[in-house]
Amino acid sequence: MALKPIDNALLLPPETIKLGVNEENKTAESLPPSADPIIDYISSENLEPISDPESKIHGLVEELDSKDWTKVCESLNDVRRFALYHSLLLLPILEKVILVAVKAMKNPRSALCKTSIMASSDIFKVFGDQLLDSTINAFDNLLLQLLLKASQDKRFVCEEADRALNAMVKSMTPLPLLNKLRPYVSHSNPKVRAKAAITISKSVSKMGLEGMNEFGLVSLVQMAADLLNDRLPEAREAARNIVTSIYEAYTRNEEQKQESWQNFCQSSLPPIHAQSMVKITGSP
């Protein structure tokens, strides 16, 4: 007589028989994940030179492209060290490094995002106007990401992006930077508009009348007038600061009297906007 095949399920322990395949997977998924490693945010002052920079630089781009996000964080800190202490070695691959930083800023991991923003701050401090060189095409992407990150709700990322934007303003010539920032005061996101307006106001405060004329004094005044009617109070406050900086530069020359400023506003703007300008500066 033929024997019946043995049911494999009978050979399994009882607790396994009770679980279907989906239930087993569900049980595995419900296990607590291992804790993420703690990332140290090292201030620029505490970063040290690289012991063998000539050897290290050759593998930097590959390390930045690692699938392990913690290794990318470590490599971004190496980027900071190269920028601060070995900038000539970093310069030839700077655009690739900026592209990696931009990619990291888009990553949902806040630790990776913040580390990349810190790297951008040190890059601004060291390279300044070199980032506007025609060979560095990644600057526009970097600027947009910083404005977006400065506009988001995660406070510690937002504050770090604000610091990076401040480092950018301090290290770069106002006129070319204003040309880069100009499009963002018309951005569809009101928070981005506000951050752009604040950054512009800080750049304008560094300019004299000659630089403002080179940018286009009428364009600058019109930009400020538009921002005075923006939805967010931060943008409106930035616009007032821009107007004050323009007024101080305009009237610093003894030949430019307050009456001349009033005439300039009236000839450059619609009456209601000109009136707002005169009111802000306290002109009669």
Side-chain angles (χ1 to χ4, degrees):
M1 182 175 66
L3 297 176
K4 293 183 179 180
I6 298 175
D7 188 347
N8 288 336
L10 297 177
L11 302 178
L12 298 174
E15 62 272 17
T16 306
I17 297 174
K18 293 178 182 179
L19 290 174
V21 173
N22 291 335
E23 288 176 315
E24 286 181 324
N25 290 339
K26 182 177 179 182
T27 303
E29 292 172 358
S30 65
L31 294 175
S34 58
D36 280 344
I38 296 175
I39 300 298
D40 291 329
Y41 302 114
I42 309 170
S43 65
S44 301
E45 296 76 15
N46 293 328
L47 288 168
E48 298 180 353
I50 294 171
S51 58
D52 186 7
E54 289 82 4
S55 174
K56 183 75 173 176
I57 194 68
H58 294 299
L60 184 60
V61 172
E62 184 178 349
E63 291 171 0
L64 286 167
D65 200 34
S66 172
K67 301 299 182 183
D68 184 339
W69 70 272
T70 60
K71 292 188 182 300
V72 178
C73 284
E74 293 173 6
S75 300
L76 285 167
N77 280 328
D78 285 337
V79 166
R80 300 172 64 202
R81 296 161 72 195
F82 270 109
L84 294 171
Y85 298 106
H86 321 284
S87 58
L88 291 178
L89 291 173
L90 188 63
L91 186 57
I93 60 169
L94 189 55
E95 181 163 22
K96 292 180 180 178
V97 167
I98 292 174
L99 289 172
V100 170
V102 170
K103 180 180 177 181
M105 286 181 201
K106 298 177 182 179
N107 193 287
R109 288 191 180 275
S110 298
L112 180 55
C113 179
K114 178 170 178 173
T115 304
S116 65
I117 295 172
M118 295 175 75
S120 71
S121 292
D122 288 326
I123 288 172
F124 284 135
K125 293 172 189 175
V126 174
F127 293 101
D129 287 342
Q130 288 178 280
L131 296 172
L132 298 175
D133 189 276
S134 58
T135 60
I136 309 295
N137 297 317
F139 177 80
D140 291 332
N141 293 332
L142 176 60
L143 176 57
L144 174 58
Q145 282 306 310
L146 287 174
L147 290 171
L148 289 169
K149 294 305 173 184
S151 306
Q152 71 167 42
D153 295 329
K154 289 182 180 178
R155 184 174 177 181
F156 82 112
V157 171
C158 175
E159 290 175 348
E160 199 62 53
D162 281 334
R163 283 190 280 271
L165 290 170
N166 287 335
M168 178 184 69
V169 170
K170 290 179 181 178
S171 63
M172 302 181 84
T173 305
L175 180 58
L177 184 56
L178 283 182
N179 287 322
K180 292 290 188 180
L181 287 163
R182 185 203 293 254
Y184 297 109
V185 294
S186 303
H187 198 275
S188 58
N189 185 331
K191 290 185 178 181
V192 171
R193 288 201 305 272
K195 292 296 181 180
I198 292 168
T199 309
I200 287 172
S201 72
K202 292 176 180 177
S203 292
V204 170
S205 69
K206 296 173 58 181
M207 300 178 79
L209 186 60
E210 183 179 351
M212 293 178 186
N213 280 323
E214 191 173 350
F215 176 80
L217 194 58
V218 173
S219 297
L220 199 55
V221 169
Q222 290 173 342
M223 180 194 300
D226 290 339
L227 287 169
L228 284 172
N229 297 309
D230 199 89
R231 185 194 311 176
L232 292 184
E234 296 94 330
R236 299 195 297 270
E237 179 62 25
R240 286 189 285 270
N241 292 335
I242 293 171
V243 173
T244 300
S245 294
I246 298 171
Y247 171 75
E248 290 175 351
Y250 192 90
T251 57
R252 192 172 294 133
N253 188 329
E254 292 183 1
E255 296 178 2
Q256 304 286 5
K257 304 298 183 183
Q258 286 190 349
E259 182 179 351
S260 176
W261 164 253
Q262 186 172 355
N263 291 337
F264 169 73
C265 291
Q266 290 173 346
S267 64
S268 305
L269 299 166
I272 189 170
H273 288 170
Q275 185 178 359
S276 299
M277 294 288 174
V278 172
K279 184 178 179 180
I280 289 171
T281 57
S283 302

